[in-house]
Amino acid sequence: MFSGKSRAGENVQLKAAALLITEGALVELSAADAREVVSYMRPERIKAGEVVIREGESTRSDFMALVLDGEVTVENSVAAAHDSMVVSILGPGSLIGEMGIIDGGPRSATCTASTDLALAVLTREALARLMDTHPSVAARLLLAMSKRIADHLRETNRKLMTFAQVSKALQQELDAAHGVNKRLLDQLAAQAGKPTPAG
């Protein structure tokens, strides 16, 4: 938990609460709700280059983190290429791991500290305590997290639709090129008096 006894601890807690209600995190929460949620979070420092969340990992899917300082690189595996692709770079006010704290399922991406990081971490255990002691705040937190996840899903669906349209257009171009090549081969074969190859 954040230490509220020292001046520095209070400042960090206030900063975390302010960042929790920014556009990159949970803008739907009130300032009072954010302060309450942050009181259940613990500060954590991560060195540059360390993996915070590893894609596919399910043993540590019991937390989410708010970036207070520094940057996190989010990558997804590209199975066909046995490589990874940078999806985004997140900075202060960004949340990572919110799906894992809700469902406990395997992580969907790898999050690596691009720089030294200061995080505010909310574990599933701390979330359960929040539900017991402040159920209305916990309900608003879960609704805000659900909205964030739904927004990500809608954005992913929009991107998939765009990729599908591009794929369809490319297939039409390939079909047209194949048709032109077939006609040229037919003409060449007719001129040479040879039968056309199957195709």
Side-chain angles (χ1 to χ4, degrees):
M1 302 303 145
F2 279 96
S3 169
K5 295 177 182 171
S6 71
R7 186 70 154 157
E10 283 179 31
N11 288 342
V12 171
Q13 195 168 357
L14 288 173
K15 177 181 180 177
L19 287 171
L20 188 59
I21 55 175
T22 59
E23 197 64 41
L26 303 172
V27 72
E28 294 81 13
L29 287 181
S30 70
D33 287 346
R35 285 191 299 274
E36 193 61 53
V37 170
V38 166
S39 73
Y40 285 80
M41 298 173 104
R42 73 174 193 274
E44 193 168 320
R45 295 232 176 243
I46 306 288
K47 293 286 185 193
E50 287 185 35
V51 174
V52 182
I53 293 172
R54 189 173 306 282
E55 184 176 358
E57 187 175 68
S58 57
T59 55
R60 283 190 27 145
S61 290
D62 63 343
F63 74 93
M64 73 173 189
L66 172 68
V67 179
L68 301 176
D69 283 307
E71 290 185 338
V72 176
T73 301
V74 181
E75 297 175 287
N76 284 112
S77 292
V78 181
H82 301 291
D83 208 352
S84 63
M85 176 178 68
V86 173
V87 176
S88 59
I89 298 175
L90 304 175
S94 299
L95 278 180
I96 57 173
E98 64 273 21
M99 285 194 308
I101 196 173
I102 291 175
D103 71 357
R107 297 299 193 170
S108 62
T110 296
C111 299
T112 306
S114 304
T115 64
D116 288 350
L117 289 178
L119 303 175
V121 175
L122 182 67
T123 64
R124 187 176 295 129
E125 180 185 316
L127 178 59
R129 283 197 316 274
L130 178 65
M131 289 178 186
D132 287 341
T133 56
H134 296 92
S136 59
V137 173
R140 289 189 292 274
L141 171 65
L142 290 171
L143 281 172
M145 289 167 60
S146 298
K147 182 185 181 313
R148 178 180 164 81
I149 292 168
D151 288 347
H152 284 309
L153 182 58
R154 284 189 186 94
E155 178 63 16
T156 300
N157 285 340
R158 187 193 64 73
K159 287 177 182 174
L160 285 173
M161 291 293 289
T162 301
F163 289 142
Q165 290 168 347
V166 168
S167 178
K168 183 178 179 181
L170 287 173
Q171 186 61 53
Q172 289 170 344
E173 289 289 325
L174 287 172
D175 290 346
H178 177 71
V180 168
N181 288 339
K182 175 87 170 89
R183 283 192 300 279
L184 288 173
L185 285 173
D186 289 347
Q187 289 173 359
L188 287 173
Q191 288 173 356
K194 298 178 184 172
T196 58

